Amino acid sequence: MKKIFLLLSFIVYLVFILPYSITMAYEEAPYDIVHKTDTYEIRHYSDRLVVQVVNKGGNNSFRKLFNYISGANKNSEKIKMTVPVTQAIEDNEFFMQFYLPSKYNKETTPIPTNSDIEIATIKEGYFAVIEYSGRASDKNFEKHSNILRQKLLEDNILIIGNSIKATYDGPFTLPLLRRNEAMFIVDWKN
């Protein structure tokens, strides 16, 4: 009986705790919360350096970025994964971005070997964010993006641009434990 209990405890650890603890090891883009409601928060982010793929269809963007941080760059340097991975659509172009660890700047960032990958800076600004769990599906993202949009309109906060999808967890994390976010750049004057 004791062996069964130990085995079940180990399985629970693998299924529930290990995926959560692994995601917590990733460096996250720092921010300050400047306003919080029951539904959303307004965050101030400083400039952030990213590598991104911009295309019309979004195919293989994650794989290209993952290859870059795995050493497909001119230095053959492995780069630690960070969170979140963001996705957005602007002017019919699909953007997928990996944030670079804070130790890098424009001069020290390894140059991509794949011409589809570019190094860019996301400018400092204010972002309205709603957090949700579950799958990072388009349907779940659109649902929460619409909730956030409606609340921002009710609170007379000006939205600048389209919604941004931010995901924090790998595909093996149970949906209940996943952290996802829908974001908008906003004109925050406070």
Side-chain angles (χ1 to χ4, degrees):
M1 187 67 162
K2 188 175 180 180
K3 287 182 182 180
I4 292 173
F5 176 76
L6 289 173
L7 179 62
L8 287 174
S9 297
F10 180 71
I11 291 170
V12 166
Y13 173 77
L14 287 177
V15 170
F16 290 102
I17 298 169
L18 184 61
Y20 183 73
S21 64
I22 289 171
T23 61
M24 294 305 291
Y26 295 137
E27 180 181 337
E28 181 175 343
Y31 58 85
D32 294 312
I33 299 171
V34 298
H35 180 73
K36 190 171 178 77
T37 72
D38 290 342
T39 307
Y40 66 90
E41 60 190 28
I42 306 290
R43 298 176 184 167
H44 177 262
Y45 285 92
S46 297
D47 288 354
R48 290 157 290 149
L49 200 58
V50 296
V51 288
Q52 66 184 12
V53 173
V54 182
N55 59 44
K56 300 288 183 193
N59 294 338
N60 298 319
S61 294
F62 185 89
R63 174 61 50 205
K64 290 174 185 177
L65 292 169
F66 187 78
N67 288 343
Y68 168 80
I69 67 170
S70 297
N73 54 66
K74 294 207 174 164
N75 298 0
S76 299
E77 183 177 341
K78 292 187 188 238
I79 300 169
K80 288 188 177 182
M81 183 76 183
T82 63
V83 291
V85 172
T86 54
Q87 300 173 55
I89 297 174
E90 292 285 339
D91 300 325
N92 292 324
E93 290 187 316
F94 175 84
F95 289 75
M96 179 175 277
Q97 301 164 323
F98 280 14
Y99 293 78
L100 288 166
S102 58
K103 74 176 192 173
Y104 292 103
N105 60 44
K106 282 266 195 188
E107 291 75 37
T108 61
T109 299
I111 305 299
T113 54
N114 184 330
S115 62
D116 291 342
I117 297 174
E118 60 188 36
I119 299 165
T121 300
I122 298 176
K123 295 292 183 195
E124 170 185 21
Y126 293 94
F127 291 74
V129 179
I130 186 171
E131 193 172 314
Y132 59 97
S133 61
R135 299 200 183 283
S137 67
D138 289 341
K139 182 178 179 181
N140 203 8
F141 168 67
E142 288 171 21
K143 171 186 168 186
H144 288 89
S145 181
N146 288 334
I147 292 168
L148 178 57
R149 181 188 319 270
Q150 184 60 41
K151 291 294 185 181
L152 292 172
L153 291 172
E154 289 172 12
D155 293 346
N156 294 315
I157 298 173
L158 180 63
I159 296 170
I160 303 169
N162 294 329
S163 56
I164 302 163
K165 179 195 274 187
T167 54
Y168 289 79
D169 303 296
F172 299 112
T173 303
L174 293 174
L176 179 65
L177 300 176
R178 289 184 186 173
R179 176 182 171 195
N180 304 304
E181 294 173 346
M183 313 170 85
F184 287 102
I185 300 171
V186 294
D187 183 14
W188 181 253
K189 296 176 176 133
N190 218 2

